[in-house]
Amino acid sequence: MDRCVVLVDAGYLLGAAASLLAGDPSRSKISVDHTALIAALRERAEAETGLPLLRIYWFDAAPERRPMPEHRRLRVLPRVTVRLGALTRAEGRWVQKGVDAAMHAELSELARNRACADVVLITGDGDLLPGMMSAKEHGVVVHLWALQAADGDFNQSEDLVGEADERRVLDREWIEGSFSLRETSAVFPAPGPRHEIVKILAAPPTAPPAALPGTLPGTLPAAASAAVRPAAGAPAPAPAAVPVANGRPQSATALKVVPTPKDLAGRSVDRPAPAAHHQQAGPVLRWSSDRGWVDRPVPEPAVTAGDGLPTLAQLTTAEQRWADREEDITTIGGDAHEVGQVFARRWTGRLGDVERLTVLWPDYPRIPHRVDGELLRYAARFGLLAHKDDQIDEHDRYAIRAGFWKELAARVPGGELVVDD
């Protein structure tokens, strides 16, 4: 068939682009305009082969082969087919499994069935060499494309380069048409203690006596000083009684040390007997050899006015749910901050009366329990659980909630006075 096919090794393409633009092969360093990238690949493939495009195959890996947000966006583009291998953890790092085998199988099948005349390969892995040789034996012309290396050297297997019929290098100018450096997202720290608590914690353990009127700070008036000094010839005051605990004298400095449970129990013995209506006086020791532990009741979470608000699921119809899914697949990028904003925008829009949301401000930055759980479940659909043992990373959780509050602040009256950027 007089058509061309493009096979893309996403790991090589994105890693080489990140190395060139950011100096780091991590994908998180760059942003990709997938629509522009696919259009650029199609245009260049058709121009260099002189044949119309049949299809672009995008080979990548994902945990448990579940599509990530970028995969969902790619597979709805015209003439694009996504093939996923497994992303597994081995020896402390993440490795792809099955991607090379899938590319080899697809290349051999296309050549065997004469589905195309030319194949464009964007890869650097020498494991694809047998598939390339098999395709050539079936009369397919193989074009090998490389990305400009950050150090100016080759970033492909020499065996692949030697076996390819044609070779091209995608330079920095071409790469910058679809790739860009990702802006560093701000770190959203955990909400700190309130300012009045900070003042208490920062205060010294003992404060000096307040200065009386007419005296300098930190000094006593003459009358007070005379009262403090013993009169001439008067006997020296008796030394203060040394406190005794557990039969041992305790120095004044020892009392400043945090007492042990045994010290506390010894002090409670010297206390007067409690009144009849009191349950217990002083601390009680319990040792590991004791039988029958006391079960303390678990305090129930505080119920606030925000806990009575409906969730997004309760406000969403079946038609809206379908439209939301379509928007998530095609337009939402999956950034943690953006995910929180999208969720808040939908929730406020469907609640109708945004005045009802003003009850949330006294509890900021706490999100009502049911809504917060729904928000994190929604975020998990964008791959924010990936590589993290099914737990959303702490930084991502802060970013999700910060995006939620930022969107609410822009839509709900009085929010800009509560939520700080």
Side-chain angles (χ1 to χ4, degrees), residues 161-181:
V161 173
E163 192 68 27
D165 295 310
E166 300 285 347
R167 184 173 184 267
R168 296 289 183 271
V169 176
L170 305 177
D171 58 14
R172 176 185 286 269
E173 182 180 358
W174 187 91
I175 294 170
E176 290 177 344
S178 307
F179 297 87
S180 61
L181 288 174

Side-chain angles (χ1 to χ4, degrees), residues 35 120 314 404 408:
T35 303
V120 175
Q314 295 172 333
F404 174 89
L408 250 64

